[in-house]
Each structure stands twice: as structure tokens, then as C-alpha cells.
Amino acid sequence: PLVGRSKAGEVRVSTFHSFGLELLREHGRGDTSRGRFVIFDKGDALGLVREILRSIYRRDASKRFDPMAILSRISNWKNAMVDPTAVPDSPHPYDAVALEVYPEYEDRLRAMRAFDFDDLICRPVRLLRDDPALRDHWRNRIEHLLVDEFQDTSEVQLELVRLLANERRSVCVVGDDDQSIYGWRGANVGNILEFETHFPGAKVIKLETNYRSRAPILEVANAVISSGNGRRHEKRLRAARTGGETVRRCTCDDPREEARFVRREIARLREEGLSLDKVAVLYRSNQQARLIEE
């Protein structure tokens, strides 16, 4: 509605991976047969790792080693743009096993004309790096870049943004370094903390006004944020809405006691005349919900 139907149709909206898939289908003939290839999902990739483990360590390999742990290490190396020949030494035994699997894993993918999920970004980055004409082609097609949730981007995703940015460097990213939670799968919060290094002259705009929560909740949030370790962009959240009750905190000895506390609070609120449809319970796992039901 803001730009109109015709203009909206001209805007390219995609995830990193779907954009990479489009680029590979259009230009990936050097890696595949006439641009035709298959995509391995996580189950396919795990199956391939199991096969390689058995070929190296015999039949009981999948019992001795966790294929998911091996695949995760390979994924992290690929997202950091580290080739099998450049993996740094590590004393961790799983790193040593993953390093043995990594080159064979890549060779078998190529032999099957297959890409795994990480390749959908890694391969386009390599293509854009190695082919100046292709890089100029895409830079001319994309005049402005907007990236959301930038605190959760990986090194290879940052490199893709840098390769696509034209001479005008018209790049806008949105993110919050205090909400970076995906480091375990390759996200690098340094991408947003060091954005001005990657794109000199960038302007930082802090969005500190919160329109959802009231002041007492935001005061707790500010205290939690400020107590965190490491580098961060300084910010202080402010409430647009006035009022609000003081936040209460309860510490319980174990999950069952926590569930009993929640149940008692719900009963108390109900006795005070509050309708149950006004009560919300937030939890992380279904196990916690089952405890409350008991």
C-alpha cells in the first residue's frame, strides 16, 4: 500500500538463501551441468556424513561419532569461508574427525551435482568474487540493499552484501546487537558492531522508543541489557506508554516448584475476579507446560 502495487512488484524480497539459489540457477553453470543441480536438505547432508564416517572408520562409525556434531563443524567452517585445506588446528577430537570428513564431503557433493544449504550462499559469494563481470551485472541490477536482523548474519552473508553493494554503497541494515542469539550456527554479532568499518561513512540511527511495553518492564530490560558482557552499541529503551505495574520476580528451587507457583498465581487471579482469558503463561518447552497441567 505504501509504494503501490506496480512499484512493489519491482522490489526484490528474499532470504539470503533464496537469493543465492536464484543466482546459482542463472549463473552456476561452472559448478554444475548447465545450471542443473540438486539441493541437499539437512537429512540428506547427515546421511552423506554417515556414509563418509563409515568409509573412514568402518561400520560402527555412526555409533562412535555424532554425525550432527560433525556436520555442524563443517557448516561453521563453510560459513566462515574456510576451505578444507585452511581449517586451523584444534585439540578437540571432533574437530579432527570433521576435518577428515570435510574434503570428502565436498568432493561427493560435487560428484552428485549437489549443493547443501550452506552452499546456497557460499557458492554465489565465490562466483561474485571470481567473476568481475557477473559482480557488475548484479550491482547494476540492485541499487539499494536493505537487510533485516543483521545481528544474526554470518561472515559469508556479510561478504555477499559487500559484493552486491555498488559504488554508491547504498546499504541499510536493521538489527540489535543485544538480540544476537545464533552464534552457535555461525552468526557473527561483529557484523553489526563493525558495520561502519565495512561501510565507511555509515550513519547509525538508534531506535530506543518502545511502543509496546510500559516503563517498569523496560527498566528491567535495560538492567538486563546493561549487565551483559562484551562490546555493544549503547542504548536505553524508553516507553511511549505511561503507567504499568512493578515487575515481580520469583525464584524457584526446581521446575516443579515453578509450575506450582504459576498454578497458585492463576488461582489467586481467578479468585480476584480476573477472567482466565486475560492470563498468559510463556514457557520454553512443552515439558514445562505438562508440569503446570499436572
Side-chain angles (χ1 to χ4, degrees):
L2 294 177
V3 299
R5 185 180 297 274
S6 61
K7 291 291 185 183
E10 299 174 13
V11 177
R12 182 186 302 276
V13 180
S14 71
T15 64
F16 279 100
H17 293 88
S18 61
F19 173 81
L21 177 59
E22 178 186 352
L23 190 147
L24 285 172
R25 282 176 173 163
E26 190 171 340
H27 306 286
R29 298 184 180 182
D31 288 303
T32 59
S33 176
R34 298 181 181 176
R36 292 194 294 266
F37 51 83
V38 296
I39 300 172
F40 273 29
D41 61 19
K42 183 170 287 187
D44 297 324
L46 280 172
L48 181 56
V49 168
R50 289 190 185 97
E51 286 183 18
I52 297 170
L53 284 171
R54 283 195 292 266
S55 69
I56 297 175
Y57 297 100
R58 299 186 178 178
R59 292 185 177 275
D60 64 340
S62 59
K63 297 179 180 179
R64 292 169 55 194
F65 305 109
D66 179 3
M68 189 65 226
I70 303 297
L71 183 61
S72 294
R73 283 165 169 78
I74 293 174
S75 177
N76 288 338
W77 289 331
K78 292 177 79 165
N79 277 283
M81 299 298 290
V82 177
D83 291 324
T85 57
V87 174
D89 293 333
S90 168
H92 197 289
Y94 259 88
D95 288 342
V97 175
L99 182 55
E100 280 197 81
V101 173
Y102 188 12
E104 180 68 15
Y105 176 82
E106 293 289 88
D107 288 343
R108 293 200 188 189
L109 283 178
R110 280 194 293 271
M112 291 183 283
R113 296 175 184 155
F115 292 138
D116 66 11
F117 203 55
D118 297 314
D119 286 326
L120 297 183
I121 303 177
C122 296
R123 293 284 180 168
V125 164
R126 294 185 189 280
L127 287 172
L128 291 168
R129 274 183 177 179
D130 298 341
D131 190 337
L134 177 63
R135 188 166 62 246
D136 290 341
H137 167 78
W138 278 97
R139 285 179 172 180
N140 290 332
R141 288 176 66 172
I142 301 175
E143 187 173 353
H144 305 286
L145 278 169
L146 169 62
V147 186
D148 195 14
E149 301 292 359
F150 200 71
Q151 77 279 353
D152 291 326
T153 54
S154 65
E155 291 182 39
V156 70
Q157 289 169 335
L158 169 65
E159 185 62 15
L160 181 59
V161 172
R162 294 175 63 182
L163 288 167
L164 292 173
N166 56 30
E167 289 72 17
R168 294 178 58 189
R169 315 291 276 177
S170 182
V171 178
C172 174
V173 304
V174 181
D176 183 354
D177 49 294
D178 288 313
Q179 294 188 45
S180 180
I181 60 173
Y182 291 112
W184 56 274
R185 69 179 190 191
N188 181 5
V189 70
N191 290 352
I192 194 167
L193 291 173
E194 299 162 7
F195 185 78
E196 295 159 282
T197 302
H198 301 303
F199 297 93
K203 182 178 181 181
V204 177
I205 301 174
K206 296 182 180 181
L207 305 177
E208 297 175 301
T209 302
N210 185 293
Y211 297 92
R212 179 180 297 171
S213 300
R214 299 183 189 274
I217 293 176
L218 294 182
E219 286 304 313
V220 173
N222 283 324
V224 172
I225 291 171
S226 63
S227 65
N229 297 321
R231 299 172 300 152
R232 57 185 296 272
H233 288 299
E234 290 299 323
K235 66 182 80 70
R236 184 164 186 83
L237 304 176
R238 300 183 298 271
R241 304 170 68 190
T242 58
E245 298 181 10
T246 301
V247 175
R248 291 190 299 145
R249 185 181 70 175
C250 174
T251 303
C252 301
D253 292 333
D254 55 54
R256 290 191 176 277
E257 177 56 33
E258 182 181 25
R260 285 191 286 268
F261 166 77
V262 172
R263 190 166 54 192
R264 289 195 301 269
E265 284 296 294
I266 293 174
R268 179 182 65 79
L269 292 170
R270 190 175 186 183
E271 289 175 1
E272 293 177 359
L274 188 69
S275 173
L276 287 180
D277 63 3
K278 302 296 183 183
V279 177
V281 180
L282 306 180
Y283 53 89
R284 278 195 173 274
S285 70
N286 288 333
Q287 178 63 30
Q288 291 173 297
R290 287 194 287 272
L291 289 172
I292 294 175
E293 291 172 358
E294 294 174 3

